[in-house]
Amino acid sequence: MYIDKLSKSKIFPLLFGFFWAVLCWGIGGMSYYQILQAEIEQRKIRLWRPVARIYELAGGEVVLVISLLLGVGSLYFGWRNYKIKNTSSKQDEYADKPTYKDIMVLEKQIGFLLPSDYRKYLLHYNGGTPIACKLNEYIQINYFYQLVTDNPRFRLSEIFETVPNYGYGLPIGKTIVGDLLVLSPEGAVLLFDVEEFTDDDGEFDDIEGEPEYIAESFTALLEGLY
């Protein structure tokens, strides 16, 4: 469960991660100071049990290093969840809001249940152009297809019927160079290279290769965008 689910505040995940980072660094720093003092005075020391166990097994320096790493990890997860909560999509402000009924109709059409993270994305953003759109120097997302829209060129149900997916799943978007993003029934995101999957006229042709695996889930894809 992501940290940002605990609060509606957009900055909460960042503050939550910072809090745990400071706590880890504080415990580690104080414990290391107590260890140094005890070693200088050659006396026994009483530490918090997990810290004491690490100290017994690996020494005071390891206590300090682990606390630093835990603090950095807390900051990273706080930043990651902050980014997820604040990565929105530009979409038609006049478009109807998707409903669970729309989701169920699409799922019946495609023959499998959508992953929960992609469901939530559609219900909240309805597709569109992501503000953070670059996955790497080669992959830049142009737009995600929409669940509810008056334009059939961007409607998921229409795209599923008209754009070949070769049995790999649901086409969910396109990159800036025209490559196709496909969401598999297992939740992974695949990339169909237009040069391999289209003919000289740009029309989808017989499959000549395997799609590229680019993310283990839709959430992982969003996390990787910058």
Side-chain angles (χ1 to χ4, degrees):
M1 179 179 292
Y2 289 111
I3 296 173
D4 60 283
K5 290 182 180 178
L6 300 176
S7 172
K8 293 183 178 180
S9 172
K10 290 186 176 181
I11 201 172
F12 177 80
L14 203 58
L15 295 175
F16 195 77
F18 180 75
F19 167 78
W20 279 106
V22 171
L23 185 63
C24 290
W25 292 335
I27 292 174
M30 287 298 297
S31 298
Y32 186 60
Y33 174 77
Q34 290 177 334
I35 290 170
L36 290 180
Q37 289 295 107
E39 289 179 349
I40 291 174
E41 299 173 4
Q42 296 183 344
R43 59 178 171 82
K44 291 183 178 181
I45 183 173
R46 296 186 63 181
L47 298 168
W48 184 39
R49 184 172 296 178
V51 175
R53 185 62 175 164
I54 296 172
Y55 173 57
E56 291 171 1
L57 293 174
E61 290 78 7
V62 175
V63 171
L64 183 62
V65 170
I66 290 177
S67 67
L68 290 174
L69 292 176
L70 288 174
V72 171
S74 298
L75 281 180
Y76 167 74
F77 282 107
W79 170 83
R80 186 193 71 169
N81 287 282
Y82 169 79
K83 185 178 178 182
I84 291 174
K85 195 171 183 68
N86 290 277
T87 297
S88 59
S89 296
K90 301 174 184 177
Q91 55 178 303
D92 183 1
E93 61 180 316
Y94 302 106
D96 294 331
K97 283 287 186 180
T99 65
Y100 282 105
K101 183 178 180 180
D102 296 319
I103 294 281
M104 293 172 65
V105 170
L106 178 64
E107 290 177 334
K108 184 176 180 180
Q109 177 188 7
I110 65 179
F112 63 88
L113 297 177
L114 295 175
S116 60
D117 56 349
Y118 185 59
R119 271 184 165 217
K120 292 174 183 177
Y121 175 82
L122 287 178
L123 291 171
H124 192 72
Y125 295 115
N126 189 35
T129 302
I131 295 174
C133 59
K134 292 186 70 176
L135 184 64
N136 53 46
E137 60 180 312
Y138 306 107
I139 301 176
Q140 182 173 342
I141 296 174
N142 191 11
Y143 54 81
F144 289 116
Y145 295 123
Q146 295 177 292
L147 183 60
V148 177
T149 176
D150 292 330
N151 190 338
R153 292 178 56 245
F154 299 100
R155 191 185 305 135
L156 280 166
S157 58
E158 189 72 19
I159 295 299
F160 181 76
E161 295 295 335
T162 58
V163 177
N165 59 68
Y166 304 99
Y168 282 98
L170 173 67
I172 60 171
K174 268 193 173 183
T175 68
I176 199 167
V177 298
D179 293 336
L180 189 67
L181 300 173
V182 174
L183 184 69
S184 75
E186 294 76 24
V189 181
L190 311 173
L191 179 75
F192 280 45
D193 190 322
V194 288
E195 294 183 356
E196 294 185 15
F197 290 87
T198 58
D199 57 24
D200 294 337
D201 296 324
E203 299 295 328
F204 279 87
D205 201 356
D206 294 335
I207 188 169
E208 295 182 0
E210 293 290 325
E212 179 184 354
Y213 175 98
I214 61 172
E216 65 180 1
S217 66
F218 187 74
T219 296
L221 176 66
L222 294 183
E223 288 176 1
L225 298 180
Y226 62 95

